Amino acid sequence: MSLHRRQFLKSAGLTGLGFMLPLSACQPASTSKIATVQGPIEYDLIAGPAHFQILPGVTTQGLGFNGGFPAPVLRGRQGVPMRIRLHNQLNEPTTLHWHGLRIPVNMDGVPGPSQMPVQPGETFTYEFTPPDAGTFWYHPHMNSTEQLGRGLVGGLIIDEAEDPGFDTDLLLLLRNWHLNADGSFGPLSIKRYAARQGTPGQTFSVNGQLLPEYALPAGASVRLRVLNADNTWPYELSLTGVDSQILALDAHPVSPRRFEGYQLGAGMRMDLGILVPDRAGQTFELKHRHQVLARFRVDAANQPARTSLPILPKNPVPEPDLATAERQFFSFEWDAATDEQGRSLFWNIKGAVYQRPAFCSNANLLATLERDKSYLFSLRNNTQYPHPIHLHGHAFKVLESNKRTLIPHFADTVILQQHEQVRIAFVADNPGVWMFHCHVIEHMAMGLAGMLAVI
Ligand code: C2O
Ligand code: CU
Ligand code: CU
């Protein structure tokens, strides 16, 4: 597969069923640097049963968007409205959440604070204008162990208002499947694992393929968008055989630095920049620990070799004022607990266990924040398992850890390693009631979640 940027843009909207071609993709690939699209950029997404092949030669009956896996990669543009119609053809209610987008709460897809569940047979239209560019993703926010676990996850790319000019732009969606040899699903959650690191799958995939190989043109500037869309797994990523730079974390540009390995928890994203070596035939590999996830082969050049990577412009995220920020402390804890129905609730935030979505009530409220004020949160992991902690509706600045040197950056998800304390700060500028939770889906489902109100 050759992934020259124009071909990729054209095909990006065409995976899955044919009809979800976004309007923007109907424009000729832009040669000018200025966006001319006014939008809205429209998509239709059908959530329903899907057949796809992950293991060679056997079919998996899962759930998917528009009938297959991987889901269509949605492509928007910073500052341009999007309109996405969700058609629910599942046999249970669902919603869609746009992970990482700083948009109004009524479009955030959390049942309760955002909207009523979308019932089977119903359609719900999401409309928003993404303020930030970068790599995001979308997934339901109901019955997530099953709905995400069986395949309802997809990539969402918001292009910069002005094209930074990479030659090749490639999304790598990481997933680890819980499959039996015949392609059927094994259990998505096993209690003894749910009480620990989460139930791991056994089958590593990238864009739904086992160990895919991608051809990259010699001398090209490449943007690799790595997305951990797994329910559980904290990937420990490296790229061997080529030099690369970390350009962005969770959509937000960082000052570029050499990529020497990074732990990407569930829900997190990392954009890497590569100047492809000018030697056709050379290969390099993306790895999780020793496991090769994807391979890249250098193809013949189709233009003179680039000498530098494009620079990504910052997103318009407000800088928190650390001098005046109000401090709050949150601990993430383990406890052997059950609810009235005997359901296990192993996890809590500062002793508070998330129960079920709350409609018009203050249940699960961890804190009330004053709009436009800066906050400095200390997040302490009092357990021996990593927790990727995610905040909806905002981007926070990751400041420091008591255990390791962090890259200061804006993010929507930060991984807390075992017994680690991390400080984050942000301006609570988006009014609403927002979820704050661990993105290991079983941890969230078993209590490790709560709400922050911004009023
Ligand atoms: Cu990926 Cu509550 O989100
Ligand atoms: Cu989210
Ligand atoms: Cu967790």
Side-chain angles (χ1 to χ4, degrees), residues 97 99-100 390 392:
H97 170 59
H99 181 124
H390 171 51
H392 285 216

mmCIF file of all heavy atoms in Angstrom, residues 97 99-100 390 392, ligand 2:
data_model
loop_
_atom_site.group_PDB
_atom_site.id
_atom_site.type_symbol
_atom_site.label_atom_id
_atom_site.label_comp_id
_atom_site.label_asym_id
_atom_site.label_seq_id
_atom_site.Cartn_x
_atom_site.Cartn_y
_atom_site.Cartn_z
ATOM 1 N N HIS A 97 -18.844 9.663 21.686
ATOM 2 C CA HIS A 97 -17.978 10.635 22.356
ATOM 3 C C HIS A 97 -16.789 10.942 21.455
ATOM 4 O O HIS A 97 -16.239 10.042 20.814
ATOM 5 C CB HIS A 97 -17.494 10.052 23.691
ATOM 6 C CG HIS A 97 -16.418 10.861 24.341
ATOM 7 N ND1 HIS A 97 -16.605 12.184 24.678
ATOM 8 C CD2 HIS A 97 -15.139 10.557 24.702
ATOM 9 C CE1 HIS A 97 -15.488 12.644 25.224
ATOM 10 N NE2 HIS A 97 -14.588 11.692 25.254
ATOM 11 N N HIS A 99 -13.330 11.896 21.625
ATOM 12 C CA HIS A 99 -12.295 11.909 22.659
ATOM 13 C C HIS A 99 -11.236 12.978 22.363
ATOM 14 O O HIS A 99 -10.540 12.896 21.363
ATOM 15 C CB HIS A 99 -11.661 10.518 22.746
ATOM 16 C CG HIS A 99 -10.601 10.395 23.779
ATOM 17 N ND1 HIS A 99 -10.629 9.449 24.784
ATOM 18 C CD2 HIS A 99 -9.464 11.099 23.987
ATOM 19 C CE1 HIS A 99 -9.566 9.582 25.548
ATOM 20 N NE2 HIS A 99 -8.836 10.586 25.072
ATOM 21 N N GLY A 100 -11.145 13.939 23.268
ATOM 22 C CA GLY A 100 -10.113 14.979 23.172
ATOM 23 C C GLY A 100 -10.607 16.299 22.607
ATOM 24 O O GLY A 100 -9.913 17.307 22.745
ATOM 25 N N HIS A 390 -8.230 10.436 32.180
ATOM 26 C CA HIS A 390 -8.734 11.253 31.072
ATOM 27 C C HIS A 390 -9.769 12.254 31.572
ATOM 28 O O HIS A 390 -10.648 11.897 32.351
ATOM 29 C CB HIS A 390 -9.360 10.307 30.033
ATOM 30 C CG HIS A 390 -10.108 10.984 28.941
ATOM 31 N ND1 HIS A 390 -9.573 12.007 28.187
ATOM 32 C CD2 HIS A 390 -11.365 10.784 28.451
ATOM 33 C CE1 HIS A 390 -10.476 12.398 27.280
ATOM 34 N NE2 HIS A 390 -11.567 11.673 27.428
ATOM 35 N N HIS A 392 -12.660 15.032 30.196
ATOM 36 C CA HIS A 392 -13.440 15.474 29.035
ATOM 37 C C HIS A 392 -13.488 17.005 28.945
ATOM 38 O O HIS A 392 -13.421 17.694 29.954
ATOM 39 C CB HIS A 392 -14.881 14.982 29.166
ATOM 40 C CG HIS A 392 -15.079 13.522 28.891
ATOM 41 N ND1 HIS A 392 -16.198 13.026 28.268
ATOM 42 C CD2 HIS A 392 -14.305 12.440 29.147
ATOM 43 C CE1 HIS A 392 -16.121 11.711 28.161
ATOM 44 N NE2 HIS A 392 -14.974 11.325 28.697
HETATM 45 CU CU CU B 2 -13.012 11.631 26.237
#
